[in-house]
Amino acid sequence: MHTQPNDPAETLSPAIQVLIDVGFKALWIAVTIVACALAAWLLRFVIRRVVDRIVKGAKTKAKIDDTRALDRSPLASVRLVQRTRTLGSILTNIVNTTIVIVGVILIVNIIDQGILGSFALISAAIGAGLGFGAQNIVKDVLNGILIVAEDQIGIGDVVDLGLATGVVEFVSVRITHVRDVNGTLWYVRNGEVTRIGNMSQGWSRVVIDVGLPADTDIDAVEATLLDVAETLTKDKRWRTRIIGRPEVWGLESVAGDTLSIRMVLRAKPSSKDDVSHELRMRLRAAVHDLGLDLSSLEAVALAGADGALRVRGANPPRTEPHPLPERPSWRPLGRRKKDPAAAAQAPAPAPKAPKPPKPEKPAAATASPEDEPVNDGEDTTK
């Protein structure tokens, strides 16, 4: 009697079968690791390529090769480069963390599919505990992503975070590093930041109060101070650091025998102190040339209610109400007929000046639109 051969897998010893299973699992683990590494490399390559394209585009528009030279270019280019690089580092960290977590889960699932199910309750308990204990970390990360994405602060900005004031040296998704004027490096958690005062965006205002004797001719002094400031704005060395035209806000206060006349000037944030120093030197020389004693000459930082009232300058724009235009009514061209009641109420048309007689044209010539009879409102439609 002929017998069928048994299955080769059944003829193998248990030890060999275990080795084969371990080998297959090791192979799949290696394939999973390689696939995760390739996915991470591909995503990081895409992020790095996008960041480089944006940064190179900003450099090309500014016609420079060094990123540090962007300080001389428009502010938007600097902010674009800073925000792009910060977001690129954040996305890279997110990609790395996600790929590692996914890879670990896949490897554990390959080793034993029942491990994840058996640890489901334990992982849920751990997740709940981390949710309560790490809620501040989650808050810091989310707030840090919003701060960077909305371009609230950037590296090199002078900011007031309430908790610390100084120059931003590093911005991450969880912590912002701020160096104050004394050299102290402050580590500020992004989740604790409730307000941000950025003194490096747009423009800054130089406010100077000039103290003069009480018997000073205010009109003449104001004209002189304004001429000095106008000369500064036209200077080749300073005109690139100044924005707009200077303003004299007039007599600000009277303290004893001293009159305080306020002058303001807008400048680039990075050049505010330099412009303020140069303007004070020129104002001092101009006042001395007038033969007046300079009681005081100080820079003022407006804050509180005074700053809120003066935020728009000495001559804020004013708006007046404008009447809404009448809404025109539309009718088809063939149905435009005058209403008899409206025609009766309308004023009589002014008499037209007589036109000079026109030369007669041959009968064969085509009549021009000027030769057609004028319709004075009568309906000629039959």
Side-chain angles (χ1 to χ4, degrees):
M1 182 177 180
H2 182 71
T3 59
Q4 296 291 337
N6 296 332
D7 189 2
E10 295 179 357
T11 61
L12 296 177
S13 64
I16 297 177
Q17 185 67 33
V18 170
L19 290 177
I20 293 176
D21 293 340
V22 171
F24 274 111
K25 289 182 179 181
L27 178 62
W28 279 112
I29 290 174
V31 171
T32 302
I33 294 175
V34 172
C36 291
L38 289 176
W41 177 84
L42 180 61
L43 293 175
R44 288 199 300 267
F45 174 78
V46 172
I47 294 173
R48 186 169 59 252
R49 187 69 178 271
V50 172
V51 171
D52 292 341
R53 288 287 296 273
I54 296 176
V55 173
K56 289 181 180 179
K59 291 181 180 180
T60 303
K61 182 177 290 187
K63 297 180 180 180
I64 60 173
D65 296 328
D66 189 5
T67 303
R68 290 175 295 180
L70 279 173
D71 293 336
R72 301 181 181 179
S73 66
L75 180 64
S77 300
V78 183
R79 309 295 301 182
L80 179 64
V81 171
Q82 292 178 351
R83 188 168 67 255
T84 302
R85 286 178 172 172
T86 306
L87 287 176
S89 63
I90 292 174
L91 292 177
T92 301
N93 293 332
I94 292 175
V95 166
N96 294 335
T97 305
T98 305
I99 292 296
V100 169
I101 293 175
V102 172
V104 170
I105 293 175
L106 292 176
I107 291 173
V108 171
N109 190 34
I110 292 173
I111 294 175
D112 190 352
Q113 297 181 356
I115 294 179
L116 295 178
S118 62
F119 285 101
L121 296 178
I122 299 178
S123 61
I126 295 175
L130 291 177
F132 286 106
Q135 56 183 348
N136 289 332
I137 298 178
V138 175
K139 180 181 178 181
D140 295 340
V141 171
L142 292 178
N143 200 24
I145 293 175
L146 292 178
I147 287 175
V148 175
E150 295 175 359
D151 193 23
Q152 298 178 15
I153 60 176
I155 298 175
D157 288 350
V158 180
V159 298
D160 179 6
L161 303 180
L163 304 174
T165 302
V167 180
V168 178
E169 291 191 352
F170 179 73
V171 181
S172 66
V173 294
R174 198 178 72 86
I175 291 179
T176 298
H177 299 178
V178 178
R179 179 86 62 175
D180 65 7
V181 67
N182 298 316
T184 304
L185 182 61
W186 295 87
Y187 295 87
V188 182
R189 286 172 43 200
N190 295 329
E192 299 296 328
V193 177
T194 57
R195 65 175 178 86
I196 297 176
N198 196 321
M199 291 168 271
S200 299
Q201 289 187 0
W203 53 269
S204 296
R205 176 174 280 151
V206 177
V207 182
I208 297 178
D209 284 350
V210 183
L212 299 171
D215 57 349
T216 302
D217 186 356
I218 296 179
D219 294 336
V221 171
E222 287 182 355
T224 302
L225 299 180
L226 190 59
D227 290 340
V228 172
E230 290 283 358
T231 304
L232 179 63
T233 59
K234 297 177 182 178
D235 193 322
K236 294 181 179 180
R237 180 183 176 186
W238 298 97
R239 64 186 179 184
T240 57
R241 312 181 191 183
I242 298 174
I243 301 174
R245 301 184 60 182
E247 298 179 9
V248 176
W249 286 2
L251 183 62
E252 184 63 26
S253 63
V254 179
D257 296 335
T258 302
L259 304 180
S260 181
I261 299 177
R262 178 164 292 178
M263 164 164 281
V264 298
L265 180 64
R266 292 186 181 184
K268 292 183 178 180
S270 59
S271 306
K272 176 184 176 181
D273 293 336
D274 297 336
V275 172
S276 178
H277 295 162
E278 182 67 18
L279 181 59
R280 282 199 295 270
M281 291 292 295
R282 298 196 180 197
L283 292 178
R284 175 180 177 275
V287 172
H288 285 173
D289 292 341
L290 293 176
L292 300 175
D293 294 333
L294 190 62
S295 302
S296 63
L297 184 62
E298 58 181 353
V300 181
L302 300 177
D306 192 15
L309 293 174
R310 294 300 184 89
V311 69
R312 303 181 71 182
N315 300 312
R318 299 179 180 179
T319 59
E320 297 180 357
H322 296 279
L324 294 176
E326 296 183 0
R327 189 173 183 180
S329 59
W330 179 86
R331 292 181 182 179
L333 185 61
R335 298 182 180 179
R336 290 183 179 177
K337 298 181 180 180
K338 288 191 175 181
D339 189 1
Q345 294 179 0
K352 299 181 180 180
K355 296 182 180 180
K358 297 181 180 179
E360 296 181 358
K361 294 183 179 181
T366 304
S368 63
E370 295 180 354
D371 298 330
E372 297 177 1
V374 179
N375 185 7
D376 294 333
E378 297 180 1
D379 188 8
T380 57
T381 306
K382 298 298 182 181

